[in-house]
Amino acid sequence: QQQVKQSPQSLIVQKGGISIINCAYENTAFDYFPWYQQFPGKGPALLIAIRPDVSEKKEGRFTISFNKSAKQFSLHIMDSQPGDSATYFCAASDPDKGDKIIFGKGTRLHILP
Amino acid sequence: DGGITQSPKYLFRKEGQNVTLSCEQNLNHDAMYWYRQDPGQGLRLIYYSQIVNDFQKGDIAEGYSVSREKKESFPLTVTSAQKNPTAFYLCASSTGATSGREQFFGPGTRLTVL
């Protein structure tokens, strides 16, 4: 059973546009929701993370929107740039399971110049 | 410079051979993880260790083995029992405290079985 479902699988956005990636989760015990960014041939790196007690977190051009009742969260990239082209993973963590993180399957984002 | 190193970057192996992937961290992290990444599959957890001399199976442990004799090191052996070992392998570490949670990843090792 896939505990974190991510969509779309791939996304193409014009430069300057808004990129939106969505995730849904099942386990209401999850209390930490990070997004990771991965460039080709590199390891993922933490981009931004949120806890369920807030509905939105913004860091620069990146914003997480969180809807606890719907068990959904999304990443918005404002003013998307070609350098944002990467694979993005949403994830979730259960406090009863230490630091184990469950990842979505990823979204390949391509920003057209 | 603190971080995680993985070696080698590329590894080729003949079918039927065991191979060991190296992972070292100097972040003083307690927890370490091994993931496998295949196209369209995301990151799948192979093994993890929350403390020295202890480790647990992840979701896809069959055909893999690990050891954690030192805090800094968490090598992964891909055995001949792993039916489809060609993949990108990622090692990660974290503080092990539930308040933190961020996992730091190494650059990965791409294993190809010939």
Side-chain angles (χ1 to χ4, degrees), chain A residues 10-30:
Chain A
S10 61
L11 181 62
I12 299 174
V13 175
Q14 290 281 352
K15 178 182 175 182
I18 303 173
S19 303
I20 301 174
I21 303 170
N22 300 299
C23 282
Y25 64 97
E26 295 293 325
N27 188 345
T28 55
F30 289 155

Side-chain angles (χ1 to χ4, degrees), chain B residues 34-36 44-48 55-66 76-79 81-83 89:
Chain B
W34 274 105
Y35 294 92
R36 171 181 171 139
R44 293 184 289 170
L45 184 64
I46 304 172
Y47 267 98
Y48 65 104
F55 49 82
Q56 287 79 41
K57 292 182 180 180
D59 302 317
I60 56 164
E62 185 175 347
Y64 300 98
S65 66
V66 294
L76 173 75
T77 297
V78 184
T79 76
Q82 170 47 234
K83 297 200 185 321
Y89 290 89

